[in-house]
Amino acid sequence: MRFQWLLFKRLTSTTVFPKFSARSLCVFAVQAMDPVTVDHYRSAMVLSGVGDALGYYNGSWEFCHSGPEILEELQEMGGLDKVKVELPDWMVSDDTVMHLATAEALMEASAKDRPILFLTLAKHYKESMNDMHGRAEGLTSSEGCAKLKPNQSDGYIIPFNTRGVGCGAAMRAMCIGLRYQRPEEVDSLIAVSVESGRMTHHHPTGYLGSLASALFTAYAIQRKPVREWGAGLMSLLPRAQQYIKDTGRHVQENLDAWPYFTEKWQAYLEQRGISDGTSDPTFPQEYGPKERDDFYRTLSFSGWAGASGHDAPMIAYDALLASGDSWEELCKRSMFHGGDSDSTGVIAGCCWGAMYGYKGVHENNYKNVEYRSRLEKAAEELYNLSHTT
Ligand SMILES: *[C@@H]1O[C@H](CO)[C@@H](O)[C@H](O)[C@H]1NC(C)=O
Ligand SMILES: *[C@@H]1O[C@H](CO)[C@@H](O)[C@H](O)[C@H]1NC(C)=O
Ligand SMILES: *[C@@H]1O[C@H](CO)[C@@H](O)[C@H](O)[C@H]1NC(C)=O
């Protein structure tokens, strides 16, 4: 059993008791995570879809720029527990459709033959574009998919793209971490997340987001304390860069564009005081919906928080750091904010479900979520694959 540390959390759980931290802040330890079972895989996949659908709200919240307004609307609906996440009003967006494409490719192809696995991913991404009606698919994703040729041996490779910095790669990669969840499989996790990412987002800011989403999900399964995840990511970036060099494709362009992702993450981790990977995070005293919107915007590439490869997993991470085992708090921070809230929600929901299952989540939120049975089937198969091969 591990312990999860979190700060300034509203005391909702009976398992909460105060502790003293080195920074003289009030810190609470929440006994939270049970050993991993197939149920955690199921809730990870299903709550990723829920996080997506909640953040998307038929397109009207993904593009709403005010967290306080969204929370007010939510209040008018009767609060989170009253929200029945189901069709027609709460469809999943392109995020879940493409996340399922990743998962179903991982189920179909043997992990041992990487070129075949990559072509299978390419095939599923291409096919996913037939299911985008009303789901606001990203332009870079659809343009990337149009270039994929799954029937040709190198058909998963697309040119470097100076504009491929969006979060389209990050939002669909979490299940790669469910598949390669063991610490000793991290090289596979890097290779598969990077290649899956650069099939549409061939730019480090884009595909390193894919690495971050996959890695954080694997860390959740490993029961690694959340405050260590950011430093873990930083420690693996040189290995990801080595992978790019080893593949020998578009190496110079990738190296030239490399620093942005690393610098943004370094700055963020320093701000939270967790770049050492051992300290507890610190948050501003005033950090409500308005302040979070403002802060998330400072992380962004061009003002739309969570829309890029570096900041979608970053905002999800910020929410996970502060929410502990509170589903409602997680939703407020990662799904109901003024940025690209479905992309941050899909990542946060997956990691949270991997850690806490359905703890405190009202059935309304997930019982009838679109594609629930596909999400659960993928979860079960990924669990089996990752625990047998
Ligand atoms: C959401 O979108 C679906 C499909 O486009 C539509 O049928 C439904 O009425 C929409 N709901 C709301 C609340 O806009
Ligand atoms: C690729 O191959 C499959 C099966 O061999 C075939 O059904 C499909 O039409 C081919 N696609 C293209 C784009 O050639
Ligand atoms: C996973 O493995 C279990 C136990 O062997 C089996 O009962 C189940 O059908 C498998 N699930 C899938 C989706 O393959």
Side-chain angles (χ1 to χ4, degrees):
M1 207 70 79
R2 295 256 193 175
F3 289 85
Q4 166 81 0
W5 300 94
L6 72 149
L7 287 148
F8 306 129
K9 185 180 164 301
R10 280 180 316 138
L11 300 179
T12 49
S13 163
T14 51
T15 55
V16 173
F17 45 91
K19 276 248 173 182
F20 187 74
S21 100
R23 284 165 183 263
S24 304
L25 291 165
C26 194
V27 178
F28 304 97
V30 178
Q31 190 214 339
M33 286 184 257
D34 296 327
V36 176
T37 67
V38 66
D39 289 335
H40 292 99
Y41 272 59
R42 276 197 206 102
S43 45
M45 289 301 289
V46 171
L47 292 182
S48 75
V50 170
D52 173 25
L54 282 173
Y56 187 57
Y57 188 33
N58 249 13
S60 67
W61 282 351
E62 179 182 12
F63 302 104
C64 172
H65 289 277
S66 162
E69 253 173 59
I70 290 173
L71 286 167
E72 209 169 290
E73 258 188 79
L74 182 72
Q75 217 47 50
E76 283 160 21
M77 293 172 189
L80 180 63
D81 286 356
K82 290 282 186 313
V83 176
K84 285 195 173 137
V85 179
E86 59 189 30
L87 292 175
D89 292 349
W90 297 88
M91 68 195 309
V92 299
S93 81
D94 59 331
D95 301 30
T96 297
V97 171
M98 294 199 84
H99 190 212
L100 274 167
T102 308
E104 286 166 0
L106 293 172
M107 284 147 62
E108 184 178 315
S110 160
K112 297 203 173 67
D113 189 342
R114 275 198 199 147
I116 297 289
L117 172 60
F118 296 157
L119 289 171
T120 309
L121 281 162
K123 181 182 79 176
H124 281 268
Y125 290 149
K126 223 175 159 65
E127 284 171 4
S128 75
M129 288 297 136
N130 299 325
D131 184 16
M132 288 300 172
H133 185 69
R135 304 195 198 274
E137 80 270 29
L139 187 62
T140 310
S141 293
S142 57
E143 283 175 355
C145 286
K147 295 196 179 90
L148 296 170
K149 299 186 181 72
N151 289 3
Q152 295 179 11
S153 62
D154 60 354
Y156 63 90
I157 298 166
I158 68 161
F160 187 81
N161 180 1
T162 50
R163 287 170 297 120
V165 300
C167 65
M171 74 194 191
R172 63 171 188 241
M174 293 73 72
C175 60
I176 297 170
L178 295 178
R179 174 66 185 85
Y180 304 104
Q181 101 285 16
R182 298 190 188 102
E184 62 271 25
E185 292 174 306
V186 74
D187 285 323
S188 295
L189 183 146
I190 290 172
V192 176
S193 63
V194 166
E195 292 302 352
S196 129
R198 63 175 172 164
M199 284 181 206
T200 54
H201 290 68
H202 195 166
H203 187 291
T205 305
Y207 63 73
L208 291 176
S210 168
L211 168 61
S213 293
L215 183 68
F216 290 171
T217 309
Y219 283 162
I221 293 294
Q222 290 165 21
R223 304 311 193 217
K224 193 180 176 76
V226 180
R227 61 180 175 184
E228 296 175 19
W229 297 3
L233 171 65
M234 299 312 284
S235 77
L236 286 177
L237 291 177
R239 272 161 91 168
Q241 193 182 79
Q242 189 58 47
Y243 174 81
I244 293 291
K245 289 179 184 160
D246 292 344
T247 57
R249 302 194 316 259
H250 309 278
V251 175
Q252 199 52 50
E253 293 112 301
N254 275 291
L255 295 188
D256 291 345
W258 196 268
Y260 181 80
F261 184 95
T262 314
E263 284 163 12
K264 289 299 266 190
W265 264 92
Q266 237 152 18
Y268 165 76
L269 294 175
E270 274 161 28
Q271 204 149 1
R272 284 282 168 270
I274 51 173
S275 37
D276 59 7
T278 53
S279 301
D280 289 321
T282 54
F283 291 91
Q285 295 248 306
E286 288 287 323
Y287 198 47
K290 161 88 174 61
E291 291 77 20
R292 290 198 295 269
D293 273 1
D294 293 342
F295 178 66
Y296 292 172
R297 214 171 289 121
T298 68
L299 306 174
S300 73
F301 182 76
S302 61
W304 190 18
S308 301
H310 72 287
D311 67 345
M314 192 180 279
I315 291 168
Y317 184 52
D318 202 59
L320 287 158
L321 273 173
S323 306
D325 64 353
S326 166
W327 168 247
E328 187 175 4
E329 200 58 41
L330 185 85
C331 294
K332 281 186 188 161
R333 289 167 187 266
S334 70
M335 298 155 205
F336 305 139
H337 62 84
D340 190 344
S341 38
D342 53 346
S343 303
T344 54
V346 79
I347 301 168
C350 196
C351 293
W352 193 94
M355 291 190 284
Y356 304 111
Y358 290 120
K359 185 177 179 185
V361 186
H362 197 287
E363 210 178 52
N364 281 341
N365 288 175
Y366 66 87
K367 190 158 164 257
N368 295 320
V369 64
E370 189 182 8
Y371 290 143
R372 177 167 172 196
S373 59
R374 268 175 80 191
L375 291 161
E376 289 189 337
K377 181 165 190 297
E380 283 161 31
E381 278 202 39
L382 290 175
Y383 179 83
N384 284 3
L385 284 168
S386 67
H387 287 76
T388 53
T389 52

